[in-house]
Amino acid sequence: MLEQAVGHVFEADPRDALAPRQRLHLVLLGVDSVARSTAFYEALGWTKSPTSNAGFVKFDLGGYALGLISREDFARDAGFASPQGSGFAGLGLIYLAKSADEVPRILAQAVTAGGRLVKPATRTHWGVAGYFADPDGHLFEVDYEDVWALDDDHRLVVDKLNA
């Protein structure tokens, strides 16, 4: 799947649907200023992960992370035309798949369960990702990227990236 061009969309047959493990890996906040929000959380006494960058900052919450990203970048990634007036709440929950081929299968399971496909599994610059909304409109991203480090229990190792 990762050999496909960026923007390639993957679909899964509902018969191949796959339930995700009962786990979340990131709580993602779309913020007006990543630098300002980072300073706020650091002033609370939280330590920014060394694997953060200027556009995506993470704080280790013990097996999962709080992630900060610009509201505009988050909305664009989720397929919203604009973060204002489009129903985009600026909050998302992220599940990290173990492999690229799991992403469309988990999205298919979410739709089968009554969720709404927001963005199909799509080849990104970093891996494969897609979004669904639960029946109340809460946004979930299903993501696979080679760089994410997960332990044997499928928990995020926030301060580590795979080479």
Side-chain angles (χ1 to χ4, degrees):
M1 294 180 89
L2 298 178
E3 68 278 357
Q4 297 296 326
V6 171
H8 182 87
V9 173
F10 303 94
E11 295 183 25
D13 186 314
R15 295 173 295 194
D16 293 327
L18 175 69
R21 293 187 65 175
Q22 191 169 324
R23 177 164 328 288
L24 291 175
H25 296 99
L26 289 104
V27 174
L28 188 59
L29 299 179
V31 297
D32 292 329
S33 168
V34 173
R36 185 185 71 212
S37 292
T38 300
F40 169 78
Y41 287 103
E42 288 179 321
L44 284 178
W46 292 18
T47 303
K48 177 176 73 172
S49 172
T51 61
S52 299
N53 61 60
F56 183 65
V57 173
K58 296 178 288 189
F59 293 92
D60 189 345
L61 302 177
Y64 65 104
L66 174 68
L68 306 175
I69 188 172
S70 83
R71 184 178 292 275
E72 290 77 20
D73 288 347
F74 185 12
R76 185 174 32 257
D77 185 56
F80 289 85
S82 165
Q84 286 82 30
S86 61
F88 177 72
L91 172 69
L93 304 172
I94 300 177
Y95 178 83
L96 298 176
K98 289 185 175 184
S99 65
D101 70 311
E102 283 189 356
V103 175
R105 296 173 63 208
I106 291 170
L107 292 170
Q109 178 66 28
V111 170
T112 298
R116 177 176 51 86
L117 185 64
V118 174
K119 180 181 178 183
T122 304
R123 178 68 168 96
T124 68
H125 292 288
W126 308 276
V128 176
Y131 288 84
F132 70 89
D134 73 4
D136 292 300
H138 301 292
L139 194 61
F140 285 77
E141 179 180 12
V142 180
D143 180 47
Y144 173 78
E145 299 175 27
D146 288 335
V147 298
W148 292 117
L150 302 168
D151 69 13
D152 291 339
D153 290 323
H154 200 219
R155 289 185 180 88
L156 178 63
V157 182
V158 178
D159 292 342
K160 179 181 175 189
L161 294 175
N162 293 322

